[in-house]
Amino acid sequence: MRFAATASALAGLALAIAAPAAAQTDIEVTELGAVDPFEVDAGGSLPDTVWSSGAAESLRAVLGTLPDSRSAGWRDAAAARLALDALLSGGDPPEGARGAHDLAAMRAGRALAAGRAETVQRLLMRTPNLENSALLSRLFAETSFATGRTAEACRTADALIEGRDAPYWLRARAACLAFNGSIPAAELTAELARAQAPNPEFDALFDALTLDTGLPEDVRPVSGLQLALAVAIAPDTRIEAGEAAPGWLKRATERTGPPFTLPETLPEALEAAVQLEGAEREAALGALIQQDLDRVIAAEALAIRLEDAAAADEFVEAALAYGPEVARLPITADTLAHGPAFVLAALAADDVVAAEAWREALMDGPPREAEPAPALQPATVDGPADMTAPPASSADLVEAPEWTPPPARTMVAIDFASAVASGRIETDAFAALLAARIEGATPKRLCQAAGLVALGADDGGELRAAMAGLKRDADASAPLLAPALLAAAGGALGETQLLAARLVDLAPDNSEACAGAAFALDRAGLRTQALRLILEQVIEEAA
């Protein structure tokens, strides 16, 4: 909402009223400052001091430590989401960095490496005056090409002011001309780009489009522009990205492929969905999860989707998308078979109420529907008028089957995750849960415990004893620990969160990295983000 209010000033003018409207004779016109790219918010959780609390040069150095838009991406998904949360937060730019489009482009490029093309495309769509920055414009064009928004990408290529004759932009305009059927002009523009710098992959795809020869078998896209060409050549074909393609582009190819139609009846649609693979399977299950006609079918579809995601170590990502649906699912004996996954999904989606309802049902069994009292019937036996029928014998009563809760280890994992989600980590009950996890724990669990102890959980000294006995190798995260703590001490919110994320990403099983990241976040006033980081790791493991 903050950006929406600011965006209304993009016309650059404000009217200062010097007298009541009825008597007004003079209007003073003043120019308002343009919106800075850092002020654009795309759903991050940090306050509007996220960037102004830091410094331009230190932020540049911090961004330089993160994976960029040309890389394979992040190793740890929870760390990537933590970084993305900061990168999508908007506020005043660091002092001296207003209008620093190169720094804003670093921010957007790092967000692209940590997330999906659609997210960054939305961020840049809200950014004004893209035509003044070739760096920001290229990121917008690439994400637009990759997500099928070729018209927006082509408008950006046409509107660019500086650097428009660089090889990339010549190729972009050549592709746009070809998309519109202007083949002679497209070929001339592509030749101008080829004269500056060769690009065999682009040329092969461009020639296949203009000559209508079909998708080349030996060419795989490595950019959003190349993916747009491949889709234009073969719109109903699943496109595979090249090995050298960045991680975000490989994910963008998931939208390609032939269209599919599910049967009209929901049971048949569910049966058909499970026969699909990849993105088609995910999309079909997603549609069934969100439909309102049969919530039992929705529960089955969600269970399958979460099981698929857990197998791919992407449970939290699926839970973030569909966890809000858990509150609308019926709790029955059948759906409770998937209850543990539903509790974790609800926790990931910040729905503690739904998680608790399903947790109670796991312990007590599904709620029983109240049976209506039998209507009084006149006596049908011979005898005195006041005689009543004999009470039903115990043999005539049908008892509900006895409920068996999940194994203790499952409930302990759920209770541990629930406590972290609600921030109840300083109680005696949580100390007992933590002690059980520390004893004989894997490095991953020790890492989670270290983060929680740094946030105030009581371990009775057991974690320090466990960590003291660990062998220590040279760790890539060590050089970032001190900058993270110093950024936290200085109150630099964005820098602290980015450094904390990178600490964990470089060494996701390193207890010192987890403790340092959690402590730095908490010191900077970002305790909620620290708990969220650990919660996602706990949920992913428990799933």
Side-chain angles (χ1 to χ4, degrees), residues 383-426:
D386 59 349
M387 175 177 284
T388 59
S393 67
S394 58
D396 297 327
L397 299 177
V398 178
E399 295 185 0
E402 184 177 353
W403 178 255
T404 302
R409 64 179 180 276
T410 299
M411 298 309 302
V412 167
I414 286 175
D415 289 344
F416 190 82
S418 297
V420 176
S422 59
R424 295 179 283 103
I425 64 170
E426 299 179 16

Side-chain angles (χ1 to χ4, degrees), residues 355-541:
E356 182 60 25
W358 279 84
R359 190 248 180 230
E360 289 181 4
L362 284 172
M363 292 300 297
D364 302 334
R368 298 180 182 178
E369 296 183 2
E371 297 182 1
L376 293 176
Q377 300 292 333
T380 58
V381 296
D382 294 333
D386 59 349
M387 175 177 284
T388 59
S393 67
S394 58
D396 297 327
L397 299 177
V398 178
E399 295 185 0
E402 184 177 353
W403 178 255
T404 302
R409 64 179 180 276
T410 299
M411 298 309 302
V412 167
I414 286 175
D415 289 344
F416 190 82
S418 297
V420 176
S422 59
R424 295 179 283 103
I425 64 170
E426 299 179 16
T427 65
D428 292 341
F430 187 78
L433 291 173
L434 184 61
R437 286 177 69 89
I438 292 175
E439 185 177 358
T442 62
K444 185 178 294 293
R445 286 195 174 185
L446 284 179
C447 190
Q448 297 163 8
L452 292 167
V453 171
L455 295 177
D458 182 11
D459 70 322
E462 294 184 25
L463 180 64
R464 295 193 297 275
M467 289 178 62
L470 294 176
K471 294 183 180 180
R472 283 168 172 73
D473 300 323
D475 195 317
S477 68
L480 296 181
L481 181 56
L485 296 175
L486 292 174
L493 300 182
E495 294 176 28
T496 301
Q497 187 154 318
L498 293 175
L499 286 166
R502 191 58 171 152
L503 264 171
V504 174
D505 185 62
L506 289 172
D509 296 339
N510 183 285
S511 302
E512 292 165 352
C514 290
F519 186 85
L521 288 167
D522 195 31
R523 177 70 171 79
L526 302 172
R527 184 180 182 84
T528 299
Q529 285 77 8
L531 286 168
R532 180 71 202 186
L533 172 67
I534 299 169
L535 173 65
E536 291 190 2
Q537 295 174 326
V538 169
I539 289 176
E540 199 72 67
E541 180 193 2

Side-chain angles (χ1 to χ4, degrees), residues 141-438:
E142 276 290 279
T143 54
S144 298
F145 277 131
T147 55
R149 297 172 172 86
T150 54
E152 295 171 13
C154 292
R155 282 195 296 270
T156 300
D158 288 335
L160 184 65
I161 296 174
E162 295 185 8
R164 60 182 286 108
D165 291 329
Y168 174 83
W169 293 111
L170 289 171
R171 292 190 178 94
R173 290 200 295 276
C176 292
L177 288 166
F179 295 153
N180 291 329
S182 303
I183 303 303
E187 292 176 336
L188 178 60
T189 307
E191 184 58 38
L192 292 174
R194 191 178 299 116
Q196 288 194 43
N199 189 318
E201 294 84 2
F202 172 87
D203 290 341
L205 290 166
F206 179 80
D207 291 344
L209 177 63
T210 56
L211 299 175
D212 195 20
T213 58
L215 189 67
E217 294 184 0
D218 57 343
V219 177
R220 300 288 183 270
V222 294
S223 70
L225 173 57
Q226 293 178 16
L227 178 57
L229 284 169
V231 171
I233 296 167
D236 293 337
T237 301
R238 169 53 61 87
I239 308 298
E240 295 183 10
E243 292 185 7
W248 65 266
L249 185 72
K250 292 178 180 178
R251 302 187 77 174
T253 61
E254 295 172 359
R255 70 175 181 84
T256 65
F260 63 91
T261 302
L262 291 175
E264 292 185 3
T265 63
L266 290 174
E268 292 178 345
L270 180 60
E271 184 178 350
V274 298
Q275 303 301 320
L276 299 171
E277 297 180 353
E280 289 90 352
R281 180 182 172 103
E282 294 179 10
L285 290 172
L288 292 169
I289 292 167
Q290 295 174 316
Q291 54 82 25
D292 292 318
L293 297 176
D294 189 331
R295 298 304 293 167
V296 173
I297 291 288
E300 289 297 322
L302 178 58
I304 296 169
R305 179 70 186 90
L306 293 175
E307 184 179 0
D308 289 349
D313 292 330
E314 295 176 351
F315 182 91
V316 172
E317 182 174 348
L320 288 171
Y322 301 112
E325 299 290 331
V326 172
R328 302 196 304 122
L329 300 178
I331 300 179
T332 67
D334 289 335
T335 60
L336 275 177
H338 315 298
F342 291 166
V343 173
L344 296 175
L347 290 174
D350 289 328
D351 192 343
V352 178
V353 174
E356 182 60 25
W358 279 84
R359 190 248 180 230
E360 289 181 4
L362 284 172
M363 292 300 297
D364 302 334
R368 298 180 182 178
E369 296 183 2
E371 297 182 1
L376 293 176
Q377 300 292 333
T380 58
V381 296
D382 294 333
D386 59 349
M387 175 177 284
T388 59
S393 67
S394 58
D396 297 327
L397 299 177
V398 178
E399 295 185 0
E402 184 177 353
W403 178 255
T404 302
R409 64 179 180 276
T410 299
M411 298 309 302
V412 167
I414 286 175
D415 289 344
F416 190 82
S418 297
V420 176
S422 59
R424 295 179 283 103
I425 64 170
E426 299 179 16
T427 65
D428 292 341
F430 187 78
L433 291 173
L434 184 61
R437 286 177 69 89
I438 292 175

